[in-house]
Amino acid sequence: MNLPIRRRAGVLFFLICSTISLSAQENRGRFPELDKTPIAAKTKPNIVLMLTDNLGYGELGVYGGGILRGAPTPRIDKLASEGMRLLNFNVEAQCTPTRSALMTGRFPIRSGTYEVRGVGAPDKPEGLTQWEITIAELLSAQGYATGIWGKWHLGSTEERFPTHQGFDEWYGIPRSYTESMWPSSNETNSLWPSVGAKQGWNANVVSPEPIFEARKGEKARQVAKLDVAHRRTMEAEITNRAVDFIKRNATAGKPFFAYVAFSLVHMPTLPNPEFAGKTGNGDWADCLAEMDHRTGQILDAIKQAGIEDNALVIFTSDNGPEATHPWEGDSGPWRGTYFTAMEASLRTPFIIRWPGKVPASKVSNEIVHVVDLYTTLAHVGGSEVPKDRPIDGVDQLDFFLGKQENSNREGFPAYVSDRLSAVKWRNWKMHLFWQENMYDPPQKLPLPKIINLLTDLKEQRDVNMANSWVRQPMEKIIRELEASLQKYPPIKPGTPDPYVPPK
């Protein structure tokens, strides 16, 4: 169990003593480089990261959705007015890669987490190796309480659960909400065609996905099995536990990192019974209304705890919209679906609020990538990023604080699985493979396709011949990445622990 850092409360400041939490000592034992990280001499800001699941660019009211999608989103829209909203925040093409990038600040091609994988064999487990240093481990070493609620998707075995990767507590599932549909596949009393009990899913052949509750230093405990009924109530459970964590640590005066991994609007996109039929516009709109409500509950908890001015809040999504009928999402002006390198896959909503620090009502089209959150949040928490491995994230704190107009990132490589499919640089894009929908086969292009993203939001016109010069800065991004991968060979998927980098 973690021992809190001893502090004395003053009128305006906390004087942080030299006693380091037990969890910090444990992390530093695993990673000696954490000893070099400074302890901030002032009150540490709390960090609340709300990560929705497959929320497309065009769903929220402030991004052109809301009532157009059947439900207003007043709480999220207000959050955007209180902080900065990005139009060019970029993620990875799939769920596992984005969550890996967020946790490690490294492009997933480096970590062997570049695609969604099933449960690995005992000698080839999926997920993050324990060699990786997560943002939770960095913040824990700085005295933060750390919690995650919702989907992890970075390992299905005990030793790769979040509570072995820097988190003090976890409630959620290790893999995907699609598995909630397995127990329903044999039903004969629904509108869905029944697979049939003889050839349908059998728990004796493939076990149902467990819902776990875990605390650092203890073995994870299964508290339920994922099915459609539990899938409907998952958002409420995630929110209630996150709210309790926020209030508990605010009362104790302990800085915290709350990673709220919402389940909506991942398929099957189903609302809580409390919200079913509430909008009158169907399940999708009901889910959008529930998402807005749950977000409001998190924001209310922060305010009621009296820490609103000392809380950095982020709201974003791990991927672009669903592509599977009948749960298709909306990507706003962009084309494509997730599991591709199209803009609809890469661009997601992003809102950041930090009262008195992040400018209110600010909107930017500057490029930011999900790996940048690792480096930026490490800075916010008083930590330095590891120096013994390549970290792809860049520190965006000055940009977020309004100290500069430009992002510290000009471009990035866009992988789909282990395929380098595109490169973005400023408002240009170079496609190396072409794939519009996740169910389409990727096609290697004989010549790169160059897109001007300011004049061609749908990525329909190749302007390579007239603008071939832009290939040079994008090819530089490729060369630098290739050189880095040569110097630091990537971890192969299925690599067991303990992993030791080659000399």
Side-chain angles (χ1 to χ4, degrees):
M1 299 295 292
N2 288 345
L3 299 176
I5 295 178
R6 300 187 180 92
R7 293 178 287 185
R8 297 179 180 176
V11 176
L12 297 176
F13 299 100
F14 290 101
L15 298 178
I16 300 177
C17 300
S18 60
T19 303
I20 305 299
S21 69
L22 179 58
S23 64
Q25 294 173 5
E26 291 172 347
N27 283 334
R28 290 177 177 181
R30 285 178 61 198
F31 308 114
E33 61 271 23
L34 294 186
D35 286 325
K36 302 175 183 178
T37 58
I39 296 293
K42 59 183 179 180
T43 302
K44 296 178 183 296
N46 302 294
I47 302 169
V48 178
L49 173 58
M50 291 180 275
L51 185 73
T52 57
D53 207 330
N54 300 346
L55 180 69
Y57 192 96
E59 303 292 3
L60 303 175
V62 73
Y63 280 88
I67 58 174
L68 285 179
R69 295 290 282 147
T73 53
R75 297 304 305 270
I76 301 172
D77 295 351
K78 185 174 186 294
L79 178 67
S81 73
E82 296 168 342
M84 173 184 277
R85 178 166 60 95
L86 299 186
L87 306 182
N88 204 347
F89 179 74
N90 296 265
V91 295
E92 296 291 322
Q94 301 180 26
C95 173
T96 293
T98 290
R99 291 163 196 261
S100 173
L102 171 64
M103 285 293 104
T104 67
R106 289 155 46 85
F107 293 135
I109 192 68
R110 298 187 188 278
S111 305
T113 50
Y114 51 71
E115 64 184 358
V116 173
R117 300 171 67 87
V119 179
D123 61 336
K124 291 187 177 181
E126 95 278 14
L128 287 176
T129 65
Q130 291 188 348
W131 176 83
E132 298 283 357
I133 302 177
T134 69
I135 184 62
E137 286 171 310
L138 292 182
L139 294 174
S140 180
Q142 295 300 316
Y144 276 74
T146 55
I148 169 178
W149 309 271
K151 182 169 72 176
W152 174 235
H153 225 165
L154 294 174
S156 297
T157 55
E158 171 69 37
E159 61 274 10
R160 293 194 173 181
F161 284 166
T163 43
H164 294 268
Q165 301 276 21
F167 286 97
D168 297 327
E169 59 186 78
W170 171 47
Y171 170 87
I173 62 171
R175 296 185 300 277
S176 173
Y177 292 104
T178 56
E179 296 182 31
S180 69
M181 296 186 285
W182 292 354
S184 301
S185 63
N186 303 339
E187 292 180 358
T188 58
N189 59 348
S190 72
L191 291 175
W192 287 91
S194 175
V195 178
K198 285 187 177 181
Q199 65 174 6
W201 173 75
N202 186 327
N204 295 322
V205 177
V206 177
S207 300
E209 183 168 10
I211 300 174
F212 285 113
E213 184 177 67
R215 293 189 177 275
K216 183 179 289 185
E218 302 174 7
K219 187 175 180 180
R221 181 172 63 93
Q222 181 174 329
V223 294
K225 298 175 182 177
L226 183 65
D227 56 18
V228 167
H230 282 96
R231 196 266 169 278
R232 284 186 179 274
T233 59
M234 201 70 184
E235 212 73 334
E237 193 69 44
I238 290 169
T239 304
N240 291 339
R241 288 171 181 262
V243 165
D244 174 73
F245 175 87
I246 290 169
K247 292 181 177 180
R248 188 180 352 124
N249 285 286
T251 299
K254 187 174 179 67
F256 62 80
F257 171 48
Y259 176 21
V260 188
F262 282 134
S263 69
L264 293 175
V265 286
H266 192 290
M267 71 176 195
T269 312
L270 301 170
N272 187 292
E274 176 187 350
F275 283 85
K278 187 171 184 178
T279 66
N281 291 321
D283 283 351
W284 188 275
D286 293 343
C287 286
L288 197 57
E290 181 179 2
M291 174 189 292
D292 190 70
H293 175 74
R294 303 302 179 197
T295 302
Q297 288 180 297
I298 298 292
L299 297 175
D300 288 344
I302 294 169
K303 185 171 185 177
Q304 291 164 9
I307 57 171
E308 191 172 42
D309 290 342
N310 194 39
L312 186 156
V313 176
I314 292 173
F315 179 96
T316 187
S317 175
D318 68 338
N319 292 123
E322 290 285 359
T324 304
H325 186 73
W327 302 291
E328 296 95 338
D330 188 85
S331 57
W334 311 112
R335 182 182 181 187
T337 70
Y338 68 166
F339 280 70
T340 74
M342 304 298 289
E343 287 299 287
S345 176
L346 302 181
R347 295 202 199 203
T348 68
F350 181 92
I351 299 166
I352 180 170
R353 184 190 76 179
W354 194 357
K357 295 181 175 60
V358 172
S361 300
K362 177 88 171 180
V363 181
S364 176
N365 191 41
E366 288 288 297
I367 290 179
V368 175
H369 193 278
V370 65
V371 291
D372 299 339
L373 297 186
Y374 179 89
T375 313
T376 304
L377 295 182
H379 183 174
V380 168
S383 180
E384 294 181 359
V385 299
K387 299 294 195 297
D388 65 337
R389 64 200 67 196
I391 298 295
D392 299 298
V394 298
D395 189 348
Q396 300 284 13
L397 188 57
D398 283 351
F399 170 61
F400 288 150
L401 297 182
K403 295 181 180 180
Q404 61 189 60
E405 285 297 312
N406 296 329
S407 157
N408 287 322
R409 174 178 296 280
E410 284 199 316
F412 64 90
Y415 275 84
V416 179
S417 185
D418 58 350
R419 216 169 36 250
L420 179 57
S421 296
V423 179
K424 285 181 67 172
W425 177 77
R426 297 183 181 176
N427 286 303
W428 296 93
K429 188 174 184 180
M430 178 170 68
H431 282 278
L432 305 174
F433 284 81
W434 188 253
Q435 182 185 17
E436 296 180 25
N437 187 287
M438 68 177 291
Y439 296 113
D440 296 338
Q443 299 176 345
K444 183 172 175 56
L445 297 170
L447 288 174
K449 180 180 288 189
I450 302 296
I451 304 295
N452 181 340
L453 292 171
L454 289 181
T455 62
D456 183 14
L457 277 65
K458 298 296 184 185
E459 302 180 75
Q460 295 173 322
R461 298 181 294 277
D462 181 3
V463 294
N464 185 12
M465 293 306 170
N467 298 277
S468 58
W469 65 272
V470 301
R471 290 174 55 178
Q472 293 191 31
M474 288 190 272
E475 288 168 352
K476 181 183 177 184
I477 291 174
I478 296 174
R479 289 196 303 273
E480 290 176 348
L481 176 64
E482 289 176 341
S484 179
L485 292 174
Q486 183 70 28
K487 183 177 180 180
Y488 301 97
I491 301 171
K492 294 180 180 179
T495 297
D497 292 308
Y499 168 74
V500 178
K503 298 276 185 173

